Amino acid sequence: MERSYIMKMVCETAISKEVEIRQVAFECLVSIASTYYEKLEPYMQALFELTSNAVKGDEEAVALQAIEFWSSICDEEIELQEYENPESGDSEPPNSHFIEKALSSLVPMLLETLLKQEEDQDQDDSIWNLSMAGGTCLGLVARTVGDAIVPLVMPFIEANISKPDWHCREAATYAFGSILEGPTIDKLTPLVHAGLDFMLKAMKDENNHVRDTTAWTLSRIFELLHCPASGFSVISSENIRQVLSVLMESINDTPNVAEKVCGAIYYLAQGYEDAVPSSSLLTPFLTEIITYLIRTADRTDGGDSKLRSSAYETLNEVIRCSNVVETSRIIEHLLPVIMNKLEQTLQLQIVSTDDREKQGDLQASLCGVLQVIIQKLSSTDETKSIILQEADKIMTLFLRVFACRSSTVHEEAMLAIGALAYACGPNFENYMREFYPYLEMGLQNFEEYQVCSITVGVVGDICRALDDKVLQFCDGIMKHLLNDLGSNELHRSVKPPIFSCFGDIALAIGEHFERYVSYAVTAMQQASQICAQIDLNDEEFMEYGNQLRRSIFEAYSGILQGFKNSKPEVMLPYAAHLLQFIELVFLDRQRDESVTKAAVAVMGDLADALGPNTKLLFRDRAFYIEFLGECLQSDDEQLKETATWTQGMIGRVMVS
Amino acid sequence: MAPHDLRRPFKRAAISDQQRRRELSLQRQAQHRRDAQHQARCLASFLNPHSDPEPEPEPETTSETEPEPSDSPKELDIRHASKLKGAEARKWFARQLMLPEWMIDVPDQLPKDWYVFARPAGKRCFVVSSNGTTVSRLRNGSMLHHFPSALPSGARTKDSSGSAQSYSILDCIFHESDQTYYVIDMVCWREYSLYDCTAEFRFFWLSSKLAETGACDPPSQYHRYRFSPVPVYNCDQAGLSAAYTGAVPYVKDGLLFYNKHAHYQTGNTPLALVWKDENCSQYVIDTDSKGQVPSQQQVVLELQDNGNLSTSDDPPVVFGCLDRAFIEQTESRSGNLLRFAIGDGGLNFVDGKLEKADLHYLGKPNRARAFADSYSKVMFQYMARHSPLRIDDLLASINSLSDQENKPSDVEMVG
């Protein structure tokens, strides 16, 4: 009763005389759509009329909210479809399929909005107008209903795509790009095959908007319909040359178009990730693509740095997804080019904070590229030597970038250093004296917790690279890590990586971890108390709890394995608490699979490291039998393997 | 009331993968951490604590000479394979094991044509010894251990008999709790390929050759794991009983039946069969991902172009057919694997051929699944739930044969 009354009032307000009131009324309907989806059924007929009148005739501010209403309905139904799970048998909220039912009237209404573009909408990122909202909603409708949208949109595209008025051509292209996600590959493939040539020609359209939307549509095509690893792609050895020559020409277009072209190249390259041998298709063009991307990054006509960072990010993807065997020479040549550019940023004249910020952004992009190159070339033994030869120079550059002290750079350079440490192995020791102060700075950066978190990860990389040679730095590192754990200021997401890092350190320095063990394990025990108090209804916190538990287990694993050969008895006093914690985690039926893996592994480590000393402990806590049984029956081979190993270790203890 | 959040800019998502770089870094670090801990676990548990830790044997880098040309392509294949490393080796080994079908009816002539032995519970793997080192690889091709052994050319010792180039390949099951490789078949011995030999010969060769190398001795510095043959019996009444109830030093996981005349054939073969019941295996009926036995049997089938649902066999066995509307509704495509429950209607047979199956669609299987179930697997599981093939049935079939054999037989005279 009351609900109907409220709805009646909202609907009446939605046709009030004042624009502002109508707008607020529709905002209210948008909220209702996402909050009370399951109660909407009786009102939908009225709401459809109300919203479609608003979209067709009302002021833009009101019409935008009316479209938003339908976008919200799509959001709800897409989410319901994702959760529809025939196995669970739970009673789930019903999907009323409003979009499907309204489809034949909804789609024409949205297509109309596409024709209401503004002249300069592609130049200004803050613009949000009817045609953009309409296209966005059309994309959501496509994801909601899939194939059913195609026959409703194709006539519009065919009628408009060649008209003299650019509004029509742009709207048709936008409609095409919007429906590429949702319908099945089988449905879309013939359409896209037929349309690709047209799109490539339209990159020379006289109108900038049309070219902008065309380039965006190409990037969507490559994102969604170019997946050689799964056996389907619109790109073939016959057309790749033509596609690339159009892209290379259009990357010189105005900055807004060039940025979309970068997007197209980005997805074109991404499709070839892990797609040997198809990735060879791109190899002959790689040098040219890289040249064009760097030239684009160097352009000065972009209003802000957006085009430049798009060009560099695209370069990263091109390198990351290339076939390393075929392209290592090309990437090898790129390395000094990027190092040179990074060197040049150090000589920029810095007068204002603005200059400082620009320098920082540029260094971030270039460190990003270097990180990707280091990782790519160190992924095979044959190409790793290229990095090793240049390591001195690369490291010197990073240290000079640190000296510029801008936090974004700090973060990207830190990420790159982690990759370099992994590539260098024990030789990374040569850089530690100079690098160590920055490592400390990173570990103390509470404010930018991402930086802190990444630095913790790099400590792990360094431990694995240096092994016991990391010992000389451990007092300082452990002090900062323990400080970080005790801090209320530091974002909690950094704490799990710190525990994992304890394990890395212990594994590297073995028995020398003894001097930290009481501090470290005390912190781990405290954190395990927190895990025990986690509110099962708070999803976000539960996720955090899973990370925390996994990291505590990883810490114990590293410590136990580290002590095993020399001083396992150090860990004896902590064994009972650990086993109790494992049992607690075992009893949690909702535990994450990764937590299960870590828990089973640490149980084996306990038996392995402490041997017969744990016999009584295990005998008193027979839960481990059930736990192992559960793991041995898992579909996950890795888990089964670990559980089998653990079973063997405990078995050995029990017969001892 | 707070206004709704602005829509994400559909058309202008900036290309930024800094977050992605962070995530990739984290993944890389996590992987390296797993590797480091895994290595710590393996190294330490298998080194003899009373001796100095010996350095890991180096990967086979010495005296890489080109394999000599050989007449038999298979021969060349193995010789080549013994030198493969990394991804290449993984790919090759993943395809090389002989995989038994499930026993859904009792083969004729069990006592005459078949061997039986109790399968050790553990990891099925290939063990390759060559160039002074030994490597074991799991079914998916990934490396299990890399170690010195007393197998031919399996360790760098001075007194190694035979040339350093020689290599051997064994089909084993690694049994975790006693850290022993149980050898269930021999594929190649001192460069001599046994692929095209009968099981009879392979088992004979295995039993006579393995022990003389010292591979069955307890572990020592140049021999990190013990190898052991498994007792293989003729599948007569006594042999079957011995395999079924006899004491063995390992945990049993079902019985394996090998046809004496069959060559070593890679992939699934009906000439090797596996059979289980509760007495000789911990897990007879399949469990789901949570370790529970589901109330209805679940099967994974592959969707064909014409809508047929079929098994992984060659030729495939069709279990049912989906109509177009259902295929579209579930967004399935040809080649997809789909999971079904077998309903109360069960499986119906006419003249021993599957006529109809009461399938209920459950969803798509775990992404790790690469193949549909085989017909024999589905049938064995179905029978295990309804009318299992019992050890008594096997024994009875042997008995009935021996009864017949007591009668004079003309047929044999002809053969």
Side-chain angles (χ1 to χ4, degrees):
Chain A
M1 265 318 286
E2 281 165 26
R3 185 183 310 129
S4 291
Y5 183 71
I6 294 171
M7 285 304 288
K8 184 161 165 274
M9 292 313 290
V10 177
C11 291
E12 278 171 16
T13 325
I15 46 172
S16 128
K17 285 200 180 62
E18 315 291 326
V19 180
E20 288 85 355
I21 295 180
R22 293 202 301 277
Q23 183 187 342
V24 174
F26 274 103
E27 282 173 10
C28 200
L29 286 174
V30 171
S31 285
I32 291 169
S34 48
T35 321
Y36 296 102
Y37 171 86
E38 66 276 20
K39 310 280 187 218
L40 280 179
E41 178 89 67
Y43 316 106
M44 277 314 272
Q45 187 56 39
L47 290 173
F48 180 79
E49 276 160 30
L50 209 55
T51 51
S52 82
N53 287 337
V55 170
K56 280 176 189 143
D58 210 325
E59 303 277 332
E60 185 175 63
V62 183
L64 284 176
Q65 289 304 321
I67 295 175
E68 186 58 36
F69 171 83
W70 287 102
S71 290
S72 298
I73 297 284
C74 289
D75 284 344
E76 293 304 312
E77 296 193 347
I78 289 170
E79 193 175 352
L80 284 172
Q81 286 170 22
E82 277 169 11
Y83 283 101
E84 268 163 18
N85 180 358
E87 287 163 69
S88 71
D90 296 343
S91 53
E92 280 149 10
N95 185 339
S96 308
H97 301 285
F98 294 135
I99 299 294
E100 208 177 301
K101 288 172 194 157
L103 200 62
S104 59
S105 332
L106 185 60
V107 171
M109 173 182 97
L110 293 172
L111 290 172
E112 276 306 299
T113 66
L114 299 187
L115 292 159
K116 299 182 180 165
Q117 309 94 326
E118 290 168 286
E119 287 296 336
D120 50 359
Q121 63 178 22
D122 290 324
Q123 264 72 45
D124 182 351
D125 273 357
S126 59
I127 287 182
W128 183 249
N129 60 28
L130 215 53
S131 78
M132 292 182 156
T136 303
C137 189
L138 190 65
L140 289 167
V141 171
R143 287 174 54 201
T144 312
V145 302
D147 286 355
I149 199 166
V150 175
L152 294 171
V153 174
M154 285 316 289
F156 176 85
I157 297 174
E158 282 155 11
N160 286 287
I161 196 116
S162 300
K163 278 196 179 156
D165 181 357
W166 73 263
H167 291 89
C168 299
R169 299 198 301 278
E170 199 276 343
T173 314
Y174 193 19
F176 190 48
S178 298
I179 60 164
L180 292 175
E181 188 180 3
T184 55
I185 305 293
D186 294 343
K187 186 87 181 177
L188 290 172
T189 300
L191 298 175
V192 172
H193 268 297
L196 185 62
D197 256 353
F198 195 97
M199 290 291 139
L200 292 173
K201 288 201 185 80
M203 285 308 297
K204 295 197 178 70
D205 195 287
E206 60 186 26
N207 181 278
N208 180 285
H209 297 291
V210 176
R211 294 197 304 275
D212 184 288
T213 303
T214 304
W216 171 79
T217 301
L218 283 172
S219 78
R220 296 263 294 172
I221 290 175
F222 300 151
E223 179 186 0
L224 299 161
L225 291 149
H226 164 56
C227 188
S230 307
F232 65 89
S233 172
V234 297
I235 302 290
S236 63
S237 55
E238 285 82 47
N239 67 11
I240 189 165
R241 182 174 296 276
Q242 188 205 359
V243 168
L244 281 168
S245 82
V246 170
L247 293 177
M248 292 301 108
E249 198 179 330
S250 298
I251 205 170
N252 299 318
D253 206 325
T254 52
N256 61 307
V257 178
E259 200 199 315
K260 304 289 193 304
V261 171
C262 286
I265 299 171
Y266 182 97
Y267 287 114
L268 185 64
Q270 191 171 75
Y272 292 115
E273 188 169 18
D274 303 323
V276 176
S278 329
S279 55
S280 300
L281 276 185
L282 206 56
T283 305
F285 306 98
L286 201 69
T287 307
E288 195 185 358
I289 295 171
I290 290 175
T291 310
Y292 272 88
L293 285 172
I294 289 184
R295 203 182 294 162
T296 304
D298 288 342
R299 273 168 70 162
T300 48
D301 59 342
D304 48 25
S305 60
K306 221 175 131 194
L307 176 57
R308 192 180 61 207
S309 62
S310 292
Y312 279 129
E313 301 285 6
T314 301
L315 179 60
N316 290 343
E317 196 66 8
V318 167
I319 300 166
R320 190 153 43 212
C321 301
S322 72
N323 180 334
V324 68
V325 178
E326 294 173 355
T327 60
S328 62
R329 302 293 302 203
I330 301 171
I331 301 171
E332 181 178 0
H333 289 306
L334 179 62
L335 180 59
V337 176
I338 302 295
M339 284 167 65
N340 201 13
K341 283 183 169 295
L342 187 55
E343 168 105 43
Q344 283 167 17
T345 67
L346 299 167
Q347 279 131 32
L348 286 174
Q349 247 199 334
I350 307 296
V351 187
S352 61
T353 51
D354 199 34
D355 292 343
R356 171 77 60 204
E357 199 179 316
K358 275 187 183 149
Q359 182 197 35
D361 286 350
L362 186 51
Q363 289 174 339
S365 289
L366 292 164
C367 287
V369 181
L370 284 177
Q371 188 209 342
V372 173
I373 294 177
I374 293 168
Q375 233 162 299
K376 188 76 188 179
L377 291 181
S378 56
S379 67
T380 77
D381 288 341
E382 291 75 29
T383 50
K384 200 186 220 167
S385 58
I386 303 169
I387 295 300
L388 298 182
Q389 278 160 22
E390 295 296 315
D392 284 356
K393 283 187 218 154
I394 298 175
M395 194 63 197
T396 310
L397 267 176
F398 288 153
L399 291 169
R400 290 173 65 197
V401 169
F402 277 129
C404 297
R405 296 168 62 98
S406 155
S407 66
T408 41
V409 160
H410 200 148
E411 178 177 349
E412 288 281 357
M414 195 56 94
L415 273 172
I417 282 177
L420 188 64
Y422 167 68
C424 289
N427 291 334
F428 194 78
E429 196 191 358
N430 302 335
Y431 313 125
M432 277 304 285
R433 289 262 159 245
E434 276 182 279
F435 171 56
Y436 183 73
Y438 299 110
L439 192 71
E440 281 201 323
M441 262 169 56
L443 292 177
Q444 290 168 285
N445 196 340
F446 290 3
E447 207 131 300
E448 290 153 311
Y449 69 90
Q450 293 277 21
V451 173
C452 188
S453 172
I454 281 161
T455 313
V456 171
V458 170
V459 171
D461 281 325
I462 291 173
C463 287
R464 284 181 289 274
L466 299 190
D467 228 21
D468 53 350
K469 288 184 186 144
V470 79
L471 182 61
Q472 51 188 315
F473 305 100
C474 281
D475 281 354
I477 290 173
M478 281 302 293
K479 185 184 86 188
H480 291 300
L481 292 179
L482 288 164
N483 267 347
D484 287 350
L485 281 179
S487 161
N488 292 324
E489 224 180 308
L490 183 62
H491 194 272
R492 69 177 189 200
S493 70
V494 187
K495 298 187 178 179
I498 291 178
F499 286 118
S500 305
C501 190
F502 284 167
D504 298 338
I505 294 173
L507 199 56
I509 64 175
E511 57 181 326
H512 301 291
F513 197 77
E514 188 175 3
R515 60 178 127 171
Y516 316 121
V517 80
S518 66
Y519 305 102
V521 177
T522 306
M524 284 148 61
Q525 289 180 345
Q526 280 166 1
S528 57
Q529 306 296 337
I530 294 177
C531 295
Q533 295 154 11
I534 281 177
D535 176 6
L536 293 175
N537 295 316
D538 183 343
E539 226 167 274
E540 200 188 332
F541 201 62
M542 247 174 63
E543 173 54 31
Y544 175 66
N546 278 328
Q547 288 172 9
L548 200 56
R549 295 192 288 193
R550 189 175 59 227
S551 66
I552 294 169
F553 288 141
E554 284 173 350
Y556 275 116
S557 283
I559 297 174
L560 285 164
Q561 289 296 346
F563 279 130
K564 182 171 67 177
N565 290 328
S566 45
K567 287 189 174 172
E569 67 281 2
V570 175
M571 287 306 287
L572 260 183
Y574 309 110
H577 188 280
L578 170 57
L579 204 57
Q580 193 183 347
F581 179 45
I582 299 172
E583 180 167 15
L584 205 69
V585 170
F586 161 69
L587 292 172
D588 173 10
R589 292 278 133 204
Q590 299 186 355
R591 86 188 100 85
D592 192 74
E593 178 116 322
S594 66
V595 175
T596 306
K597 272 183 203 166
V600 166
V602 78
M603 216 154 68
D605 291 329
L606 189 65
D608 184 20
L610 302 187
N613 290 315
T614 55
K615 188 172 175 175
L616 289 178
L617 277 178
F618 278 112
R619 209 163 60 192
D620 291 347
R621 295 203 174 263
F623 80 91
Y624 79 88
I625 298 169
E626 199 184 328
F627 193 16
L628 285 175
E630 177 195 312
C631 298
L632 289 170
Q633 293 173 56
S634 158
D635 286 339
D636 185 325
E637 285 301 326
Q638 216 187 347
L639 177 57
K640 257 199 260 189
E641 198 178 319
T642 309
T644 312
W645 177 80
T646 296
Q647 193 179 37
M649 289 302 129
I650 298 179
R652 224 162 55 168
V653 166
M654 297 316 266
V655 300
S656 61
Chain B
M1 184 191 63
H4 198 278
D5 285 348
L6 254 188
R7 278 277 146 207
R8 53 249 163 229
F10 183 49
K11 214 184 112 178
R12 338 183 170 94
I15 307 170
S16 167
D17 58 7
Q18 194 195 18
Q19 184 55 34
R20 182 146 174 245
R21 270 201 297 286
R22 279 191 203 120
E23 282 161 10
L24 287 175
S25 280
L26 285 177
Q27 279 173 24
R28 176 181 59 76
Q29 286 163 349
Q31 179 61 47
H32 293 153
R33 174 176 300 126
R34 273 198 299 276
D35 291 350
Q37 295 197 347
H38 182 72
Q39 198 192 356
R41 281 172 195 135
C42 293
L43 273 181
S45 46
F46 306 138
L47 283 175
N48 185 342
H50 302 299
S51 67
D52 287 338
E54 86 196 72
E56 265 295 271
E58 286 172 38
E60 46 281 60
T61 47
T62 50
S63 61
E64 288 274 15
T65 51
E66 282 298 305
E68 292 158 26
S70 159
D71 295 333
S72 149
K74 190 145 234 167
E75 195 85 1
L76 181 64
D77 220 354
I78 313 167
R79 188 195 285 269
H80 178 59
S82 69
K83 295 192 161 68
L84 291 175
K85 289 175 205 159
E88 290 299 306
R90 276 201 298 284
K91 276 189 224 150
W92 191 84
F93 283 104
R95 295 192 304 263
Q96 300 308 314
L97 284 168
M98 174 154 94
L99 304 172
E101 282 192 8
W102 292 71
M103 186 188 285
I104 49 183
D105 51 36
V106 186
D108 295 333
Q109 307 290 342
L110 260 188
K112 184 160 152 268
D113 289 334
W114 295 76
Y115 289 122
V116 62
F117 60 93
R119 183 196 186 282
K123 286 181 210 136
R124 179 86 182 275
C125 55
F126 252 146
V127 175
V128 179
S129 67
S130 74
N131 268 324
T133 188
T134 308
V135 171
S136 56
R137 288 185 182 275
L138 300 173
R139 259 181 72 174
N140 61 10
S142 67
M143 196 190 296
L144 177 63
H145 300 131
H146 186 174
F147 58 104
S149 77
L151 293 174
S153 305
R156 283 161 196 261
T157 48
K158 290 199 182 82
D159 59 342
S160 69
S161 46
S163 79
Q165 294 294 303
S166 128
Y167 55 85
S168 303
I169 303 178
L170 302 176
D171 183 350
C172 299
I173 292 171
F174 183 68
H175 188 254
E176 198 77 44
S177 61
D178 63 358
Q179 301 281 304
T180 298
Y181 281 99
Y182 287 93
V183 186
I184 60 168
D185 213 332
M186 184 176 264
V187 180
C188 193
W189 189 254
R190 294 191 197 275
E191 298 197 77
Y192 176 54
S193 169
L194 294 151
Y195 271 99
D196 297 323
C197 302
T198 62
E200 200 161 16
F201 181 80
R202 295 198 309 275
F203 287 160
F204 159 72
W205 208 246
L206 167 60
S207 63
S208 49
K209 294 294 170 187
L210 188 65
E212 69 185 36
T213 58
C216 303
D217 297 346
S220 59
Q221 193 181 0
Y222 292 106
H223 180 54
R224 197 170 299 157
Y225 297 98
R226 203 164 64 88
F227 286 76
S228 171
V230 294
V232 176
Y233 304 96
N234 274 318
C235 196
D236 51 28
Q237 181 117 26
L240 181 58
S241 304
Y244 184 65
T245 55
V248 279
Y250 52 83
V251 178
K252 291 182 192 174
D253 183 16
L255 300 181
L256 282 171
F257 296 80
Y258 272 51
N259 186 293
K260 293 179 183 174
H261 315 295
H263 292 182
Y264 194 95
Q265 183 190 337
T266 58
N268 280 306
T269 169
L271 297 176
L273 298 167
V274 57
W275 173 90
K276 298 178 175 187
D277 72 7
E278 299 78 14
N279 291 327
C280 68
S281 173
Q282 219 170 338
Y283 312 115
V284 179
I285 295 184
D286 273 4
T287 52
D288 62 20
S289 55
K290 295 182 190 69
Q292 310 294 324
V293 172
S295 61
Q296 293 185 318
Q297 181 183 349
Q298 300 185 359
V299 296
V300 173
L301 298 168
E302 184 179 333
L303 181 62
Q304 305 291 323
D305 282 330
N306 54 8
N308 278 352
L309 297 163
S310 66
T311 62
S312 65
D313 304 84
D314 185 20
V317 179
V318 176
F319 266 66
C321 187
L322 290 185
D323 63 30
R324 191 142 293 283
F326 190 81
I327 295 175
E328 276 179 22
Q329 191 195 330
T330 55
E331 295 190 346
S332 306
R333 285 192 293 135
S334 168
N336 278 172
L337 299 182
L338 304 173
R339 206 150 51 82
F340 296 86
I342 297 181
D344 297 330
L347 305 176
N348 292 301
F349 296 86
V350 174
D351 294 331
K353 276 198 152 173
L354 182 71
E355 171 83 349
K356 193 164 133 289
D358 181 19
L359 296 178
H360 298 269
Y361 180 69
L362 292 177
K364 312 226 158 131
N366 189 327
R367 246 175 306 173
R369 278 297 289 254
F371 300 105
D373 286 332
S374 68
Y375 178 75
S376 69
K377 159 93 185 285
V378 174
M379 287 307 298
F380 188 90
Q381 287 292 324
Y382 186 74
M383 287 160 61
R385 284 168 176 267
H386 298 93
S387 55
L389 192 58
R390 298 178 199 284
I391 187 72
D392 293 335
D393 301 331
L394 297 179
L395 289 167
S397 127
I398 293 171
N399 282 338
S400 70
L401 275 173
S402 54
D403 290 343
Q404 279 172 26
E405 259 156 35
N406 292 336
K407 299 170 195 161
S409 162
D410 299 332
V411 186
E412 283 207 352
M413 304 302 287
V414 180

